[in-house]
Amino acid sequence: MKTTRKYIKRSWLKKGLILFGVVLATILLMLYLKEKYTTATVKVIAEESVKQNTTQQQNNENTEQPKKEKKIASKQLGKVVYLTFDDGPSQLTEQFLDILKEHEVKATFFMQGVNLLNKSYEESVKRATQEGHYVGAHSMSHDKKRLYNEGQFVDEMNETLLLIQDITGTKPKLVRAPYGSVPGLNSKGLRDEIAEADIKLWDWTIDSFDWQLEYNRNQIVENIKNGTVRDIEVVLMHEKIQTLQVLPEIISFYKEKGYQFGVYNDTNHFTQNFHKDQRL
């Protein structure tokens, strides 16, 4: 009897241990599966979050891209002539503006700082910009030695540009080198300084030689006619009485040839310098 009870007791103990083992194994399996599911879920969420962030970043870049686009500078299409006048302002500026207004033509003026300091010319300079003309810089002194030998080109141009800004409220960047960029700006070092200062430079395609033709104004017109061979022309003239006298004839010539009259615009700059330096 005692043996039987002892056997039964051992049998229940054995079953209990087996049952405990099964329960323990079940619990461990459930914990394992839960941890694996949680890890997988976190991984999916993390991957989805990365995808969403990447998509959002791409969308933001696509949205911001138009703001970063820069306007590409280019010449006007078709036949265009830019009439340019150096060495103002002067006693003749008002008369030049009168003729341009009468013929509905816009022009580009390159003015000297020493003349801009003359208070009696300020209203003429203001009028030029108010009527749609462009006023750029032609240095303070027009002195070869100071500008080129002594390297004062950028300083003088910046000073002149600031004078124009103070008078007109505009912020021009275009300048014309006295006597042209050749040979004055043959030095790459000087051109590097101009580029670093974010100054733009224009020479010309046609030299009218008006400054030396005081008593032969008809030759001014002939020089311009003979030099007109391109669709885009930049004509160099000066605020001289002989130029003023033939200006209506010059305008008529270009109208007959089918040219439009362009005026410089900072936002649509195109390269027009003898060195073909694309930075300027």
Side-chain angles (χ1 to χ4, degrees), residues 141-200:
S141 66
H142 208 280
D143 186 303
K144 284 183 180 180
K145 183 179 179 182
R146 280 182 52 79
L147 294 169
Y148 307 121
N149 297 342
E150 297 177 8
Q152 296 299 308
F153 187 91
V154 170
D155 289 341
E156 283 208 15
M157 290 301 182
N158 276 332
E159 187 176 354
T160 308
L161 290 170
L162 283 175
L163 281 174
I164 296 169
Q165 181 177 340
D166 289 342
I167 295 171
T168 67
T170 62
K171 294 183 179 180
K173 293 184 177 181
L174 186 68
V175 307
R176 172 166 284 163
Y179 311 104
S181 67
V182 173
L185 296 175
N186 285 349
S187 166
K188 184 178 180 298
L190 277 178
R191 297 202 305 277
D192 289 344
E193 289 181 23
I194 297 170
E196 289 171 6
D198 195 26
I199 291 175
K200 301 302 180 183

Side-chain angles (χ1 to χ4, degrees), residues 85 90-102 105 109 127 131 133 210 237-245 247 251:
F85 302 96
S90 69
Q91 294 179 344
L92 299 175
T93 304
E94 285 289 328
Q95 295 178 64
F96 273 94
L97 293 174
D98 288 343
I99 292 176
L100 292 170
K101 184 176 183 179
E102 179 184 350
V105 169
F109 291 83
R127 178 187 169 190
E131 293 185 356
H133 307 289
D210 58 343
M237 293 177 282
H238 299 76
E239 291 193 27
K240 298 289 186 182
I241 186 63
Q242 60 268 26
T243 308
L244 184 67
Q245 292 170 341
L247 183 55
I251 292 172

Side-chain angles (χ1 to χ4, degrees), residues 73-76 80-85 105-110 128-129 132-137 161 170-176 198-203 232-234 260-273 278-280:
S74 62
K75 298 181 182 179
Q76 289 182 237
V80 183
V81 59
Y82 293 83
L83 302 182
T84 69
F85 302 96
V105 169
K106 307 303 180 187
T108 303
F109 291 83
F110 292 99
T129 57
H133 307 289
Y134 185 96
V135 178
L161 290 170
T170 62
K171 294 183 179 180
K173 293 184 177 181
L174 186 68
V175 307
R176 172 166 284 163
D198 195 26
I199 291 175
K200 301 302 180 183
L201 173 73
W202 256 18
D203 286 307
I232 306 296
E233 298 286 11
V234 178
Q260 298 179 48
F261 292 88
V263 60
Y264 181 80
N265 187 317
D266 287 301
T267 59
N268 289 307
H269 174 76
F270 61 88
T271 302
Q272 183 54 63
N273 64 80
Q278 298 297 316
R279 302 172 300 166
L280 308 182

Side-chain angles (χ1 to χ4, degrees), residues 26-169:
T26 301
I27 292 171
L28 291 175
L29 178 62
M30 290 176 67
L31 289 173
Y32 170 77
L33 292 174
K34 181 180 180 181
E35 182 178 358
K36 186 174 182 181
Y37 173 80
T38 301
T39 302
T41 303
V42 170
K43 184 176 180 181
V44 169
I45 293 173
E47 290 176 350
E48 186 63 26
S49 178
V50 170
K51 289 179 181 179
Q52 290 178 356
N53 289 337
T54 302
T55 302
Q56 183 64 37
Q57 185 176 0
Q58 290 174 345
N59 290 337
N60 290 339
E61 289 176 354
N62 292 336
T63 302
E64 294 173 358
Q65 187 175 358
K67 297 180 181 178
K68 297 180 181 179
E69 289 179 353
K70 291 185 177 179
K71 199 170 187 178
I72 299 175
S74 62
K75 298 181 182 179
Q76 289 182 237
L77 297 176
K79 296 168 68 174
V80 183
V81 59
Y82 293 83
L83 302 182
T84 69
F85 302 96
D86 288 6
D87 295 347
S90 69
Q91 294 179 344
L92 299 175
T93 304
E94 285 289 328
Q95 295 178 64
F96 273 94
L97 293 174
D98 288 343
I99 292 176
L100 292 170
K101 184 176 183 179
E102 179 184 350
H103 292 272
E104 299 181 332
V105 169
K106 307 303 180 187
T108 303
F109 291 83
F110 292 99
M111 297 186 172
Q112 291 184 37
V114 66
N115 296 334
L116 288 164
L117 291 172
N118 188 330
K119 297 294 183 182
S120 65
Y121 296 148
E122 284 192 1
E123 290 306 314
S124 297
V125 180
K126 289 178 183 178
R127 178 187 169 190
T129 57
Q130 289 168 355
E131 293 185 356
H133 307 289
Y134 185 96
V135 178
H138 197 43
S139 82
M140 290 295 295
S141 66
H142 208 280
D143 186 303
K144 284 183 180 180
K145 183 179 179 182
R146 280 182 52 79
L147 294 169
Y148 307 121
N149 297 342
E150 297 177 8
Q152 296 299 308
F153 187 91
V154 170
D155 289 341
E156 283 208 15
M157 290 301 182
N158 276 332
E159 187 176 354
T160 308
L161 290 170
L162 283 175
L163 281 174
I164 296 169
Q165 181 177 340
D166 289 342
I167 295 171
T168 67

